Amino acid sequence: MTNHVEESGNAVNAGTTSRPAAASDVKSTGSSLANHYWAWRLYHLLIADVVALQRPTKYKFVHEFLGSDLGRVADIGCGPGVFTRYLCRNANFVFAGDVDRKSLVRTFARHARENNLAALVMRANQLPFRDSSLDTVLFLEVLEHLDDDAGALRDIARILNPGGKLVLSVPVPPGEIDVHEFGHKREGYILGDLLRLLESAGFKTQRTAYAQFKFCRLADRFIRYWRKTLRIPAPFFIGWISYLDLFLNAKRRQEGEFEPLDLVVLAEKG
């Protein structure tokens, strides 16, 4: 764990309230299938869920926007660690951060063989990193959960080096609002509003892309109905509905037609 500690110490503020996911926690849950990378990947091949619906039209842009020379990265709100392995393969060091300690422990356990990964329990609006200490931030489906979205973007700009990269995704209205503490505080963002928000925080937008269109929305409704009525996970073939989005006109998709569900943005710290 020496490399983890040394590298973490170079970027994480001393006295921070964020805590590493303890190795003892990983060991205590090591026998669970959910903690094995192969079992987790198999689950997402056989079960239709949010991850399955993002594959056809969103993941391509996330990978393109990230690129392959990431330096020191923070995946803020990493959840189950969908991009953790990719980040570890293309970065000098990766900080996986999430508010949910149990989810973070599972993510760390699944990637226990990665020697350039540290897991931190943190809140997205209380980032524990030093000023100008990171090269890349991945911030997927988090901004809509925060009361102070502008403040969160300013804090991300603070921790990035000049010219540092932010890859961000947010939902596009209409969407859900959830009064739960960590639920959605707003339905989502329209492109113009999000670009102005980024600019005010000190970012220059480089690329934008819409993703997950009307067939993805349809598949999402099917999955929610299936889970609500049958109370079991939806089978993988329901997720195939979202692949029909690929047959929609590509130019019109990127003009915001076909009811996009998601917006992916690449921005650079000015």
Side-chain angles (χ1 to χ4, degrees):
M1 296 291 288
T2 303
N3 291 338
H4 293 67
V5 173
E6 289 178 353
E7 188 70 26
S8 299
N10 291 332
V12 178
N13 279 323
T16 177
T17 56
S18 300
R19 301 163 295 165
S24 59
D25 289 342
V26 174
K27 290 178 181 178
S28 67
T29 59
S31 60
S32 171
L33 280 176
N35 295 321
H36 295 280
Y37 185 80
W38 64 268
W40 173 69
R41 289 299 301 268
L42 182 62
Y43 173 87
H44 284 300
L45 288 174
L46 299 177
I47 300 299
D49 60 2
V50 173
V51 172
L53 298 184
Q54 294 181 72
R55 285 196 198 102
T57 58
K58 180 178 177 180
Y59 285 3
K60 170 180 178 288
F61 290 116
V62 174
H63 284 110
E64 282 184 8
F65 290 6
L66 282 171
S68 58
D69 184 13
L70 303 178
R72 286 149 62 98
V73 183
D75 184 358
I76 301 170
C78 66
V82 174
F83 291 96
T84 302
R85 178 163 287 198
Y86 179 85
L87 296 176
C88 289
R89 296 291 189 268
N90 292 279
N92 296 333
F93 199 84
V94 178
F95 297 94
D98 202 276
V99 70
D100 184 347
R101 185 179 183 85
K102 291 182 179 179
S103 175
L104 193 59
V105 166
R106 287 194 295 269
T107 296
F108 191 68
R110 291 169 189 148
H111 300 84
R113 294 185 179 182
E114 305 295 344
N115 59 13
N116 61 341
L117 173 66
L120 293 174
V121 181
M122 70 173 76
R123 289 177 177 264
N125 56 355
Q126 297 175 353
L127 300 180
F129 302 102
R130 293 192 173 100
D131 294 358
S132 303
S133 60
L134 300 175
D135 303 295
T136 307
V137 168
L138 186 62
F139 201 56
L140 303 182
E141 310 301 311
V142 179
L143 196 64
E144 67 277 8
H145 293 264
L146 305 177
D147 289 313
D148 184 8
D149 51 359
L153 291 176
R154 288 194 298 270
D155 206 27
I156 291 174
R158 175 188 64 81
I159 65 177
L160 279 171
N161 287 316
K165 179 189 302 183
L166 168 64
V167 178
L168 165 79
S169 74
V170 293
V172 177
E176 62 181 15
I177 294 180
D178 186 349
V179 295
H180 183 272
E181 180 184 3
F182 300 119
H184 288 200
K185 302 303 184 291
R186 56 194 66 80
E187 288 187 275
Y189 298 82
I190 62 173
L191 179 59
D193 290 344
L194 181 61
L195 297 187
R196 284 188 287 273
L197 198 62
L198 286 164
E199 183 180 5
S200 68
F203 287 99
K204 296 179 180 178
T205 300
Q206 305 297 314
R207 290 184 62 186
T208 66
Y210 287 107
Q212 299 180 252
F213 303 91
K214 62 181 182 180
F215 289 109
C216 182
R217 286 188 182 269
L218 178 62
D220 181 66
R221 288 196 292 270
F222 268 120
I223 291 171
R224 290 172 184 268
Y225 178 79
W226 184 288
R227 289 184 169 181
K228 183 178 179 180
T229 56
L230 300 180
R231 301 188 182 279
I232 58 174
F236 65 93
F237 60 82
I238 293 182
W240 290 353
I241 297 173
S242 61
Y243 280 86
L244 294 175
D245 282 339
L246 296 173
F247 293 96
L248 300 172
N249 182 276
K251 181 179 179 182
R252 291 175 61 191
R253 287 198 318 243
Q254 292 312 312
E255 290 173 348
E257 297 188 38
F258 307 120
E259 306 171 39
L261 180 63
D262 211 74
L263 176 62
V264 188
V265 176
L266 168 62
E268 182 181 286
K269 179 180 174 179

